Each structure stands twice: as structure tokens, then as C-alpha cells.
Amino acid sequence: MTNVLLMKVRYEYPPFFRSVVADARVNLRYRSEGEFKNKFHGAMHIFRLMWVADAFFAQVCYRARCRLIRFRVPLIPTILHRICMSHSQVCIGKPVIIQPGMYIAHGQVVIDGFVKIDSGVVLLPWVTIGLKAGNFQGATIEKNVHVGTGAKIIGPVTLGNGCKIGANSVIVKNVPRGAIVAGVPGEILKRK
């Protein structure tokens, strides 16, 4: 069953270059470092970000890994995954689909299971997006969700568009769109 799902996921990965450019634009915006002026300027920003931001380096490796998995290239995707884990402490599982334009502030992030993350999502350090025992279905995170430092999102939950998850919260239930959630287990503090 999981092999069939993994085969389907391979065709859902977004294109490499479009994803890296969108990720770089989001990183530049959050780092207050301007915008691309042209393609050459953009390429220089991407290489510079890979050098100075360990989490962005891990995102580029993840994007390359997805592309190689899509074309059934052996061994190299595993090597890229190991480099991400050892260099940036970012572990993104094979069935994870991340749309272009996500921001990981620093390393120390774990994402595993059949997880879908939309664009505009911000993950701060020590975030875990994981699974419940015996269930490979993970979270669905909609656009513009902000996940605070140390938060844990466990199991097949949906985080609605624009919601905010407080630091060190544990989320085990769906979060409605625009809500602010904090605590263990996460409780809604405010609804939009």
C-alpha cells in the first residue's frame, strides 16, 4: 500500500527551478534582503543563500532529491538526504510534498509521513511534523501557516489557511482557518 502511495507522490513534486526560485524569494523577504533584479542576480542570491543559510541549503537539497526521485535516479537522493540531516539538521521524508515558497528559519526541523505543505508556510526551529503510531498519513498544512519554535504537529490533522501555532504547542486536532493555537494539547486562543 505505501509503495503505491510513494509512486503517486513522486509525480506530485513541484518543478525544481520554480520551487528553488520561490523559496529564495521568500527567504530574501524574511531576511529583509531585497528582491531579484534579473535572472543572474537571482542565481547569485540563490548561491549566496545556500552558503549563509543552512535551512535554505537543506531546502535546495530536498528539491533536488525530489527531482531525482521523480526520475528514479538511485543512491544520490539518499546521499542528499544524509547531507541535509548532518549539515542542517533538517529531515524531510520521501513522501512529503512541499509547494514552492516555504520558509524554514533555521535547521532542526523534522517532517515525515504523507504530509502536504502549501506555499507561504513558515517553520521555526525544532518543529516536528510527525505521525501517530501505525498511521502513515501526516498533516496537511494550508497556505500562510506560521508554526512557532518547538511546536509538534502529530498525525493526520489539517492546519487551516493563515493559522498560527504557538511555540512548544502540540497539535493533535484540526485547526480552523485563521485561528491562533497554543498549549499542550493545542487549544484555540483566538479565531479570526
Side-chain angles (χ1 to χ4, degrees):
M1 175 68 176
T2 56
N3 285 340
V4 172
L5 290 172
L6 282 172
M7 298 276 282
K8 288 172 77 175
V9 164
R10 184 171 55 214
Y11 297 104
E12 293 183 46
Y13 293 136
F16 176 76
F17 289 110
R18 184 170 64 91
S19 300
V20 170
V21 168
D23 293 341
R25 285 196 161 118
V26 169
N27 270 267
L28 288 173
R29 193 171 342 121
Y30 276 99
R31 294 167 62 93
S32 300
E33 295 181 5
E35 274 289 322
F36 296 169
K37 293 178 182 150
N38 54 44
K39 286 183 180 181
F40 176 75
H41 188 252
M44 294 308 293
H45 267 306
I46 289 169
F47 286 116
R48 186 186 59 76
L49 281 171
M50 287 176 63
W51 183 257
V52 300
D54 57 344
F56 182 74
F57 174 81
Q59 277 184 272
V60 173
C61 287
Y62 161 77
R63 301 287 186 194
R65 177 176 168 238
C66 290
R67 205 64 187 159
L68 294 170
I69 289 170
R70 164 122 186 182
F71 292 113
R72 299 178 185 196
V73 175
L75 189 60
I76 297 172
T78 303
I79 293 169
L80 287 172
H81 182 64
R82 299 287 180 203
I83 289 170
C84 287
M85 289 193 308
S86 62
H87 176 269
S88 310
Q89 291 83 46
V90 172
C91 178
I92 302 173
K94 193 183 287 187
V96 176
I97 298 170
I98 300 174
Q99 294 304 319
M102 185 180 82
Y103 178 63
I104 300 175
H106 298 288
Q108 299 87 30
V109 170
V110 176
I111 308 170
D112 202 12
F114 289 95
V115 172
K116 291 188 177 186
I117 299 176
D118 216 330
S119 59
V121 172
V122 175
L123 301 179
L124 295 178
W126 306 108
V127 167
T128 300
I129 302 170
L131 305 170
K132 283 187 177 176
N135 187 352
F136 292 109
Q137 185 59 48
T140 299
I141 302 177
E142 295 177 358
K143 289 184 178 209
N144 304 317
V145 172
H146 189 279
V147 182
T149 301
K152 310 294 180 241
I153 301 161
I154 309 297
V157 298
T158 299
L159 303 185
N161 192 348
C163 71
K164 295 186 183 334
I165 308 301
N168 296 318
S169 298
V170 177
I171 307 301
V172 293
K173 297 185 292 190
N174 293 342
V175 176
R177 144 188 215 125
I180 297 174
V181 177
V184 179
E187 296 293 329
I188 296 173
L189 301 179
K190 185 177 178 182
R191 288 182 190 259
K192 233 177 190 179

